[in-house]
Amino acid sequence: MRYNSKFKIDISILVCIILFAIISIITIGSAQILLTDETNLVFKQIMWYGVGFILIGFIMFIGNKFLYKNAWILYMIGILSLILVLFFGATINDARCWFKIPGIGNIQPSEFMKIILIIVLGRMINDFKEKYNEPTVKQEFIFLIKVAIVVGIPSILTFLQPDTGVVLIYLLITFVMLFISGIRYRWFILVFGIFGLAVGIVLLTYFLNNDLFIKIFGSSFFLRVDRLLDWSSGSGYQLENGITAIGSGGLIGYGVNNTPIYFPEPQTDFIFAVFSNNFGFIGSIILLAIITFFDLRLVRLAIESPSNTNKYIIGGIIGMLIYQQLQNIGMTIGLMPITGITLPFISYGGSSLLSYMIMAGIIFNVSNENIRYRNYKTLEFF
């Protein structure tokens, strides 16, 4: 007996995304007051969300199998875009990360590369597990070398832009997906050991001889390390004013369009500070509850999926989202270094928002497959 159903939407996930959209648009409207730029960010965010929902529909129409089948074509397109942006991209704040498209805005290829990496790694891991039911140490080592090459190429290109924050996301996605794939834990111990040694050498050089550090790694990397290490002092105009804005919001906040304290990048990096200032402690708890519910729903979705590829890909999406949520909110309240990581679905930005909406389309496809599978098994039982 067969069960046919075209699009079964997970209502709980859809409601979360709609709530994110409402929160995002309202908070960006409040952040707009702090900006001298006359661009109507609220209208543009509404436009991006509109395009995003169209993308969700398109992804659901073509299906995840189409994406998995053409993963390597998507990878080549992503790599090409990262190369082209280094030569033809617009330079903003000493970084060349965007294509400037007149009448549309800035498009950041690395945001879409995150999705492409998740899809490619999901396919690579699934193909490897199907080929080797119980792989040997040598087979796993060769596979990990291939993964390192696939992840290393976009990581280097993105680092050159420079965008260290996105590179960290690439690496985190890889770690999470490999971890849930069930490969031997010794590889993680080895990688962490090598990574720790490399970081130790870099930091030792940084603290002992700044001139030597700049000579080896360049002044740009020196400034990035300096910025990462400076967060622990709790100093800095942006951080101090952001924390003050959060604290001054009190229990219920100042209300919409009423943010009396200025701090840089309120519409992107410090969007949580604007929201907390407007809606206070109670509003912040509600937002965190919605985010937590959304993440837990994705975890359940991955557990229930009969497809291993879907499990790996949802796992990569969850790892990326949770990292960005913790990093963005953490840096806003002084618990994490300021890295320019945006808050998913909430911060202003065309490329980042569209990338999350594409992921949402993939998530809805997985949910649809799960619903059809459960209904099929139920009908088969009867």
Side-chain angles (χ1 to χ4, degrees):
M1 185 177 294
R2 300 180 64 184
Y3 178 82
N4 293 316
S5 176
K6 190 58 179 171
F7 298 127
K8 290 285 186 178
I9 298 291
D10 189 307
I11 299 300
S12 60
I13 294 177
L14 179 61
V15 168
C16 285
I17 294 176
I18 293 174
L19 289 175
F20 288 149
I22 295 171
I23 291 170
S24 174
I25 292 165
I26 292 174
T27 310
I28 288 171
S30 294
Q32 180 86 59
I33 299 173
L34 302 176
L35 301 174
T36 57
D37 188 356
E38 296 182 358
T39 302
N40 192 334
L41 299 184
V42 172
F43 174 78
K44 294 186 73 173
Q45 188 75 348
I46 292 173
M47 179 192 72
W48 288 124
Y49 256 110
V51 175
F53 278 109
I54 293 174
L55 273 177
I56 288 178
F58 176 72
I59 296 298
M60 294 186 68
F61 176 76
I62 63 176
N64 285 355
K65 289 183 179 180
F66 177 85
L67 298 176
Y68 301 164
K69 182 180 179 181
N70 296 281
W72 291 109
I73 295 176
L74 295 174
Y75 180 80
M76 295 306 297
I77 294 173
I79 294 299
L80 180 61
S81 67
L82 291 177
I83 294 173
L84 291 176
V85 81
L86 290 174
F87 294 97
F88 306 106
T91 301
I92 302 174
N93 295 329
D94 298 323
R96 185 169 288 183
C97 306
W98 301 270
F99 289 116
K100 193 169 185 177
I101 303 177
I104 296 178
N106 299 325
I107 301 297
Q108 187 174 357
S110 60
E111 290 290 342
F112 299 100
M113 194 68 216
K114 293 186 295 187
I115 315 172
I116 294 171
L117 265 185
I118 290 173
I119 295 172
V120 169
L121 289 175
R123 176 173 170 177
M124 287 181 68
I125 294 171
N126 185 68
D127 291 347
F128 176 74
K129 300 296 286 186
E130 286 185 350
K131 185 176 181 180
Y132 303 105
N133 187 31
E134 295 183 3
T136 63
V137 173
K138 181 180 179 181
Q139 289 168 339
E140 278 192 349
F141 178 75
I142 295 173
F143 171 69
L144 291 175
I145 293 296
K146 294 178 181 178
V147 169
I149 294 172
V150 168
V151 178
I153 294 173
S155 296
I156 293 172
L157 292 173
T158 304
F159 184 81
L160 293 174
Q161 293 177 0
D163 194 340
T164 310
V166 175
V167 173
L168 291 176
I169 294 174
Y170 291 163
L171 298 178
L172 181 84
I173 288 171
T174 306
F175 170 81
V176 171
M177 296 183 72
L178 288 174
F179 186 82
I180 64 177
S181 72
I183 68 170
R184 292 174 173 86
Y185 293 150
R186 69 183 67 176
W187 300 117
F188 296 101
I189 297 173
L190 179 62
V191 169
F192 276 124
I194 296 173
F195 181 76
L197 180 62
V199 171
I201 293 172
V202 170
L203 292 179
L204 190 64
T205 308
Y206 171 85
F207 287 115
L208 295 181
N209 194 326
N210 287 348
D211 292 334
L212 178 62
F213 185 96
I214 294 174
K215 185 177 181 179
I216 296 174
F217 300 105
S219 59
S220 177
F221 187 60
F222 175 81
L223 293 175
R224 277 182 274 175
V225 173
D226 189 60
R227 184 184 181 189
L228 285 172
L229 295 178
D230 190 52
W231 72 275
S232 59
S233 65
S235 63
Y237 176 74
Q238 184 181 30
L239 178 58
E240 289 177 356
N241 282 23
I243 293 176
T244 302
I246 293 172
S248 66
L251 191 63
I252 60 174
Y254 285 96
V256 180
N257 294 334
N258 191 4
T259 308
I261 302 173
Y262 172 78
F263 43 87
E265 304 300 334
Q267 79 283 18
T268 52
D269 301 359
F270 273 62
I271 192 75
F272 183 75
V274 177
F275 181 85
S276 296
N277 185 260
N278 289 172
F279 298 98
F281 178 76
I282 294 177
S284 299
I285 292 298
I286 293 174
L287 174 58
L288 293 175
I290 297 172
I291 291 173
T292 302
F293 176 81
F294 181 75
D295 293 343
L296 291 177
R297 190 65 192 88
L298 296 189
V299 171
R300 182 178 176 184
L301 198 66
I303 294 173
E304 293 177 347
S305 177
S307 166
N308 286 330
T309 305
N310 286 343
K311 289 181 186 291
Y312 303 142
I313 287 177
I314 296 296
I317 292 175
I318 293 170
M320 184 201 70
L321 289 177
I322 291 178
Y323 168 73
Q324 291 195 223
Q325 291 157 359
L326 293 176
Q327 173 63 42
N328 179 271
I329 296 174
M331 74 182 188
T332 305
I333 59 179
L335 295 179
M336 300 287 283
I338 298 175
T339 57
I341 298 295
T342 57
L343 185 59
F345 294 104
I346 308 296
S347 293
Y348 172 78
S351 300
S352 59
L353 180 57
L354 292 183
S355 69
Y356 303 136
M357 298 299 270
I358 291 173
M359 291 180 197
I362 295 173
I363 290 167
F364 281 128
N365 280 338
V366 173
S367 174
N368 187 35
E369 290 179 24
N370 289 359
I371 293 171
R372 288 191 296 170
Y373 178 77
R374 286 198 303 269
N375 288 335
Y376 173 78
K377 296 300 288 185
T378 301
L379 290 173
E380 189 180 55
F381 174 78
F382 285 106

